[in-house]
Amino acid sequence: MSQRPSPPNAFDDAVQANATEQAGRPGFPLVQAWQGLDLAGIRRHLVAALRAAGIDEAEDDARFMIGHVLEPVSLAQALADAALWSWQDAARLADLAALRLRRVPLSQVLGSKPFWTLDLKVTGDVLTPRADTEALVEAVLGCCGNAPLHMLDLGTGSGAILAALLSERPAWTGQGIDLSPAALAVAQQNIDACALTPRAQLAQGRWGEALRDHSFDLVVSNPPYIVREVLAGLEPEVRDHEPALALDGGEDGLDAYRVIIADLPRLLRAGGWFALEIGYDQGAAVLALAEAAGLTALECRPDLAGLDRVVLGQALAANG
Ligand code: GLN
């Protein structure tokens, strides 16, 4: 097989020459459709196919997938010089595109997602970290200072919140709990990749069940909060490819908050903080649950769209 750089028409020849080997790959129909095209043509075809599959950010998604297979060559460089991409790049692109056309989330197709200052590994076993959740990170950083602190992340998933907070606060340590062993494996990889291994412990469990009384200065969580009936109407990326365990908040969306909030006075030390991500219309309900549990200093913080996204508060300080 010839090496890169390949002459422009080598793409067609290579597809023919490797057709048998390629035939079983998910992207093979696309690779065949791309014969006779240069990279600009492949890109146009891909954007049209993504749009036809109902994907709104078709241009962005195409750009990210092409960039991913070309790395470290940029799309602009490869468009300008056909010798900088090969039919193998196109075949890999076609495999990624085939997944995306089935509405697999871009984060799962690429295997990672930027969150806060980090680039986190993502699989179908974890909720893709969302920009909304950065509002929680920001709120916690704003109220908790720099002093040593031991934190708990309930339902840690990819480990996004835990990793972001520990990466900002070198004196902090933390524990991440998740019910899903597959999610914990992803979280561990993220913790390791962010060089936070000595300060973060992960364990399997159902919320705070197995944890000792008053052992945390801070408890955070982005629990499942989608109303069950609403789940079926979400876009296919979320509905079909993200874990229901991380999304399904039960009949009224508040199931997880009932369990977590009832346990906060036990888990937190006196005066300890908590921060919970919420759905945009759940502020009043979650504040009421927190108040009923005897938590104080309660407030709602918005996300970048100005919608309620975080409920913050504290455990009562010890008397006297
Ligand atoms: N914000 C997510 C969504 O709307 C839900 C996250 C969650 O349930 N914790 O898809």
Side-chain angles (χ1 to χ4, degrees):
M1 204 164 310
S2 70
Q3 282 182 311
R4 293 158 132 208
S6 44
N9 64 357
F11 177 55
D12 297 357
D13 297 343
V15 173
Q16 300 297 340
N18 293 281
T20 326
E21 176 208 322
Q22 294 292 310
R25 291 176 58 156
F28 188 59
L30 275 176
V31 172
Q32 283 185 306
W34 292 345
Q35 287 186 77
L37 300 179
D38 60 5
L39 186 56
I42 289 175
R43 183 192 190 193
R44 266 195 301 276
H45 178 275
L46 176 55
V47 169
L50 292 167
R51 190 162 295 128
I55 294 166
D56 292 337
E57 296 88 26
E59 286 95 347
D60 281 349
D61 284 16
R63 188 163 45 79
F64 281 120
M65 287 189 282
I66 297 171
H68 186 80
V69 301
L70 290 176
E71 232 172 303
V73 172
S74 73
L75 173 58
Q77 287 170 323
L79 285 170
D81 183 355
L84 291 176
W85 66 276
S86 68
W87 75 271
Q88 287 101 327
D89 295 329
R92 284 176 57 222
L93 174 64
D95 285 344
L96 298 185
L99 288 175
R100 188 69 191 97
L101 289 168
R102 287 184 6 226
R103 304 296 296 267
V104 175
L106 185 69
S107 55
Q108 291 178 24
V109 170
L110 301 179
S112 69
K113 171 84 196 257
F115 178 75
W116 198 247
T117 62
L118 311 170
D119 194 39
L120 298 176
K121 180 187 165 88
V122 174
T123 71
D125 292 314
V126 300
L127 190 77
T128 293
R130 289 154 163 71
D132 288 344
T133 305
E134 294 177 348
L136 187 153
V137 172
E138 227 174 304
V140 169
L141 292 174
C143 67
C144 287
N146 295 316
L149 166 162
H150 189 50
M151 65 165 285
L152 170 66
D153 181 6
L154 290 173
T156 195
S158 66
I161 301 174
L162 182 63
L165 289 173
L166 294 188
S167 73
E168 291 290 337
R169 292 289 187 265
W172 291 14
T173 55
Q175 180 153 21
I177 298 290
D178 208 286
L179 193 57
S180 156
L184 288 169
V186 175
Q188 189 66 60
Q189 288 181 59
N190 283 323
I191 292 294
D192 294 346
C194 298
L196 299 168
T197 317
R199 292 193 283 129
Q201 266 196 336
L202 299 173
Q204 203 239 341
R206 190 180 294 275
W207 304 125
E209 234 169 57
L211 303 169
R212 276 179 296 118
D213 292 0
H214 310 299
S215 43
F216 298 95
D217 305 297
L218 164 69
V219 177
V220 299
S221 182
N222 174 15
Y225 57 67
I226 309 283
V227 171
R228 187 166 295 152
E229 215 171 55
V230 170
L231 258 182
L234 296 182
E235 61 266 50
E237 281 82 353
V238 178
R239 186 191 63 212
D240 301 337
H241 298 284
E242 293 201 279
L245 183 66
L247 293 163
D248 184 349
E251 230 160 83
D252 65 356
L254 300 170
D255 281 2
Y257 299 110
R258 289 193 188 91
V259 178
I260 293 171
I261 290 173
D263 216 12
L264 286 175
R266 182 185 73 77
L267 292 168
L268 285 168
R269 67 155 171 81
W273 286 91
F274 73 91
L276 304 174
E277 179 168 328
I278 59 164
Y280 70 95
D281 56 356
Q282 293 173 324
V286 174
L287 285 171
L289 287 171
E291 204 175 343
L295 296 157
T296 61
L298 300 173
E299 59 172 305
C300 242
R301 294 281 177 87
D303 59 23
L304 290 174
L307 303 169
D308 283 349
R309 190 57 62 190
V310 185
V311 165
L312 273 177
Q314 281 179 284
L316 279 177
N319 286 327

